[in-house]
Amino acid sequence: MSAASRLWRRAPLWRWSLYLTVFFTVLAALYPTPRLLHRIPQLARLPGSDTHRRAPATAPENASSSTAADPNASGDNAPAGPDRVGAPNINTALTGGIPFAGHTLPLPAGVWHPVLTGQVGPGGAILFNILARTDRGIVTGVVIARTTIRPQPGQSIDGIENSCHDDRNFMSRILSEGRGGILECWSVARSTGSSSELINTAFQRLHTLGFPVPSLFVTTSWVRASATKDNSGANLAAVDTLLAPIKPGTVQLLAPLPYWDKSQVAEAPAAQNFVRATDRWMTNWVGVLRGGLLDGLPGGVAPLDLSTDPAAPPSGL
């Protein structure tokens, strides 16, 4: 009898440790964590793995059955006073666009995951959706969408465009400055954090679940407000898209942090190129946002050629 066979028969704990090693290795391959996917991205391509099974999911069919599309759907909802806030299954994979307030919220290229969703404000008059896009387990984009389901009394459209006149913006575009009771504008800026408890909660959830989040985003903000006929209130639709200017598969910024300030960006070609690419993308994407949230989007899915933003994951991943 060889030494290996004697050890196998006389050391049951060692034998069980081998069994468990094989078991947990297979389990990790089939259900990889975001951190493990970051270390070994090839796991996402394994046939039969949880990531592989959910990657092809597309909207609107899959989105219509997810809690991201329906603030009233069941999930691990945690009411906050009169507000209704839900934390859907973050493993849900969404692409193209999702139903939102009777319209379509277009999504940039890549696979998106619902982070928070719900209704806030007086009587739940404001619907919101916060989604995150990942590439090899790393957050490469965040969408924060809000829209009103009825006019907000006492809300004037005059002050809504303030964000588009911020001197810190890389660039701003005013599309309609109150003519006909409609204001519409968009801007590109460096993200400077948020005072919103909802947004901070969404990022905390991403951190808690183990998703690596870059230290900085370049943010595009689109807002459209329309006044009621008697000017007693206004309807609002707004979408912020946070794009991560990072090297693929890492959280390393394309340029050091100080060079993402408006006054310094011209000194770092990589940062300046990313900002300019974001501006070019947003010039076309704003029409897709308007079509989805107001006029209707053919097929309920964003056109692929217009949806590829500068931070989009490489095709095929």
Side-chain angles (χ1 to χ4, degrees):
M1 183 180 294
S2 66
S5 61
R6 286 197 300 271
L7 181 63
W8 182 264
R9 295 185 60 184
R10 297 178 183 178
L13 290 179
W14 176 75
R15 188 166 64 243
W16 273 104
S17 69
L18 292 181
Y19 289 145
L20 292 175
T21 297
V22 174
F23 173 76
F24 285 113
T25 299
V26 173
L27 196 64
L30 292 178
Y31 300 94
T33 64
R35 189 173 297 277
L36 187 59
L37 279 175
H38 173 52
R39 298 282 186 181
I40 314 175
Q42 293 81 4
L43 290 175
R45 302 194 181 102
L46 284 178
S49 73
D50 180 59
T51 307
H52 185 271
R53 287 195 299 272
R54 66 175 182 260
T58 58
E61 290 82 5
N62 288 288
S64 63
S65 62
S66 74
T67 53
D70 183 5
N72 300 318
S74 60
D76 50 327
N77 295 345
D83 299 335
R84 290 188 290 175
V85 179
N89 180 3
I90 204 164
N91 290 327
T92 303
L94 307 167
T95 60
I98 62 171
F100 186 52
H103 298 281
T104 298
L105 172 62
L107 297 176
V111 178
W112 293 81
H113 308 279
V115 182
L116 287 183
T117 184
Q119 294 178 254
V120 296
I126 302 174
L127 299 183
F128 76 91
N129 235 319
I130 302 178
L131 306 101
R133 179 180 62 195
T134 59
D135 173 22
R136 284 161 277 189
I138 296 171
V139 174
T140 63
V142 176
V143 164
I144 304 166
R146 293 91 65 205
T147 187
T148 53
I149 57 177
R150 56 181 173 272
Q152 296 298 285
Q155 175 70 67
S156 169
I157 68 172
D158 296 334
I160 292 177
E161 64 176 337
N162 287 343
S163 62
C164 286
H165 290 293
D166 194 319
D167 291 338
R168 293 169 297 181
N169 293 344
F170 292 124
M171 62 272 301
S172 301
R173 303 286 187 274
I174 308 298
L175 305 179
S176 178
E177 202 163 10
R179 293 185 296 274
I182 295 176
L183 181 144
E184 184 178 3
C185 64
W186 62 271
S187 60
V188 178
R190 165 184 169 166
S191 65
T192 55
S194 175
S195 59
S196 167
E197 183 178 349
L198 282 174
I199 295 174
N200 291 331
T201 299
F203 275 93
Q204 183 59 49
R205 187 177 187 219
L206 289 171
H207 284 295
T208 300
L209 292 175
F211 289 91
V213 178
S215 58
L216 176 140
F217 290 91
V218 172
T219 302
T220 70
S221 298
W222 170 78
V223 61
R224 189 181 191 276
S226 57
T228 56
K229 292 182 179 179
D230 59 1
N231 288 318
S232 62
N235 291 293
L236 173 70
V239 178
D240 293 339
T241 306
L242 283 61
L243 305 177
I246 54 178
K247 296 180 180 180
T250 75
V251 292
Q252 183 180 350
L253 297 176
L254 296 174
L257 196 60
Y259 292 102
W260 294 96
D261 284 331
K262 182 179 180 180
S263 60
Q264 301 290 324
V265 69
E267 298 182 19
Q272 187 175 49
N273 290 340
F274 188 91
V275 169
R276 287 176 174 174
T278 301
D279 180 46
R280 290 192 298 269
W281 172 72
M282 191 60 181
T283 300
N284 296 311
W285 184 245
V286 67
V288 179
L289 289 173
R290 188 189 307 114
L293 292 171
L294 299 171
D295 305 325
L297 197 62
V301 176
L304 182 60
D305 58 333
L306 300 182
S307 67
T308 305
D309 61 83
S315 59
L317 291 179

